[in-house]
Amino acid sequence: MWSNLSKLNKDELNLAELRTNVLAKQLPEHIALIMDGNGRWAQKRDLPRTAGHEKGVERLKETVKIVSELGINHLTVFAFSTENWKRPEEEVNFLMSLFNRTFESDARELHREEVKIRVLGRREGLPTDIRKKIREIWEMTKDNQGLNLNIALNYGGRAEIIDAVKELAVKVKSGVIEPQEITEANFAQELYTQQLPDPELLIRPSGELRISNFLLWQLAYAEFYFTSTLWPDFCEKDLLLAIADYQARERRFGGLKD
Ligand code: IPE
Ligand code: IPE
Ligand code: MG
């Protein structure tokens, strides 16, 4: 039925039917998500941008639940980029306190749901209380068997690649490996994502058609899905439509159709 998807009025599709159809096909193992559009969501309602960020956290909690229930193993979300420090100090401070509060309260709830929470990004530059919570959350959830939730915080794709290069340079200098032994596989091991499989699907709400320095290495062969829905409005139906769109694509990886 998905070949006919574009001919249907997407709003007419029944949610349960959509879910059943998505579940009947191969799901992505790893979804990457740029949680964008919080500010515009708030501005449209004459609210301060901070209200959009609060709503964005609520949306993330709902999304984690839906993704877990679908049986998808990995979800990597972009929460704060290395470039977001350029924002006004009040907004940055608000976001840091929001992350702090979320790690304090919601992490326990996710822990009960067996979610394993890892934070990806540069630790330097983050407030010490957040760094402490990042370690505590990892310790608390690392043996969980449910969804792997990776939160990209103070994350930049270029910064990640440079950090990996530095790690490898140290290993070469100390003679642990020879320069000619560097491969795509052992380079990837030095990235923050380490053992994670590459995302098959990248979703960006908010209408922007760019990746804004997210997972530059890992998205090499991901399928991109863009929607104008703002992140705080991104509901289960939007997620299912993104997955259905992915399922209808032909992935060739440079080869030819079977
Ligand atoms: C995403 O929403 C949240 C962060 C980048 C921290 P924005 O704050 O970028 O929202 P818009 O893009 O201004 O609407
Ligand atoms: C990307 O969104 C980063 C996050 C969602 C955390 P931005 O709002 O920072 O991206 P640009 O500035 O529109 O590229
Ligand atoms: Mg934005």
Side-chain angles (χ1 to χ4, degrees):
M1 106 169 246
W2 296 118
S3 54
N4 294 326
L5 184 66
S6 56
K7 293 192 199 94
L8 293 171
N9 174 353
K10 288 178 180 175
D11 286 324
E12 286 169 8
L13 280 172
N14 170 289
L15 184 63
E17 193 188 341
L18 185 55
R19 198 185 297 118
T20 308
N21 282 296
V22 161
L23 284 168
K25 289 200 172 183
Q26 179 135 25
L27 290 163
E29 204 187 338
H30 184 176
I31 295 180
L33 182 53
I34 301 178
M35 303 188 290
D36 193 23
N38 297 349
R40 277 164 282 175
W41 182 91
Q43 271 155 8
K44 267 172 55 181
R45 289 162 179 77
D46 279 330
L47 294 168
R49 292 176 56 83
T50 50
H53 296 315
E54 302 255 12
K55 186 75 186 166
V57 170
E58 293 309 310
R59 186 56 76 191
L60 174 61
K61 286 191 277 176
E62 286 160 26
T63 305
V64 165
K65 193 161 179 279
I66 298 161
V67 169
S68 298
E69 281 168 6
L70 286 172
I72 289 164
N73 296 329
H74 310 276
L75 176 67
T76 301
V77 296
F78 206 0
F80 190 89
S81 75
T82 46
E83 289 72 38
N84 288 147
W85 297 104
K86 291 178 197 159
R87 295 189 178 199
E89 200 182 336
E90 313 85 77
E91 181 165 344
V92 169
N93 289 344
F94 178 85
L95 284 165
M96 291 302 145
S97 83
L98 179 64
F99 298 141
N100 212 344
R101 267 189 283 142
T102 306
F103 287 155
E104 184 68 44
S105 52
D106 302 311
R108 272 192 209 102
E109 195 184 320
L110 293 175
H111 176 51
R112 281 194 292 277
E113 305 287 335
E114 282 290 313
V115 177
K116 194 193 267 197
I117 308 170
R118 189 190 337 234
V119 173
L120 311 178
R122 278 197 179 150
R123 297 289 185 265
E124 311 90 79
L126 287 174
T128 27
D129 48 355
I130 292 191
R131 287 160 74 156
K132 184 165 170 271
K133 290 223 171 68
I134 289 172
R135 281 193 300 274
E136 287 168 0
I137 290 169
W138 171 245
E139 277 306 317
M140 175 171 79
T141 65
K142 69 182 192 311
D143 297 322
N144 286 349
Q145 299 300 307
L147 175 76
N148 275 309
L149 173 63
N150 308 296
I151 303 174
L153 185 61
N154 196 19
Y155 174 89
R158 288 186 173 180
E160 179 182 36
I161 289 170
I162 292 299
D163 288 349
V165 168
K166 284 181 185 162
E167 294 289 335
L168 275 182
V170 168
K171 288 186 179 170
V172 168
K173 197 174 176 200
S174 60
V176 177
I177 61 164
E178 296 296 323
Q180 58 276 17
E181 287 168 348
I182 297 174
T183 61
E184 290 186 13
N186 60 28
F187 180 79
Q189 285 303 310
E190 305 294 343
L191 296 169
Y192 309 144
T193 43
Q194 292 180 320
Q195 322 280 348
L196 283 177
D198 288 341
E200 296 98 326
L201 170 62
L202 166 78
I203 303 173
R204 181 167 193 160
S206 92
E208 308 299 354
L209 306 180
R210 54 179 172 259
I211 60 172
S212 303
N213 202 14
F214 193 37
L215 301 175
L216 295 182
W217 173 279
Q218 298 87 341
L219 293 176
Y221 262 106
E223 298 296 329
F224 287 11
Y225 181 88
F226 296 102
T227 168
S228 58
T229 303
L230 302 172
W231 169 245
D233 288 328
F234 189 89
C235 62
E236 177 172 10
K237 189 165 185 177
D238 295 303
L239 178 72
L240 292 171
L241 285 171
I243 299 173
D245 201 275
Y246 158 82
Q247 289 171 326
R249 308 235 187 134
E250 184 186 81
R251 306 187 76 205
R252 289 188 296 275
F253 302 98
L256 298 176
K257 199 177 167 188
D258 288 339

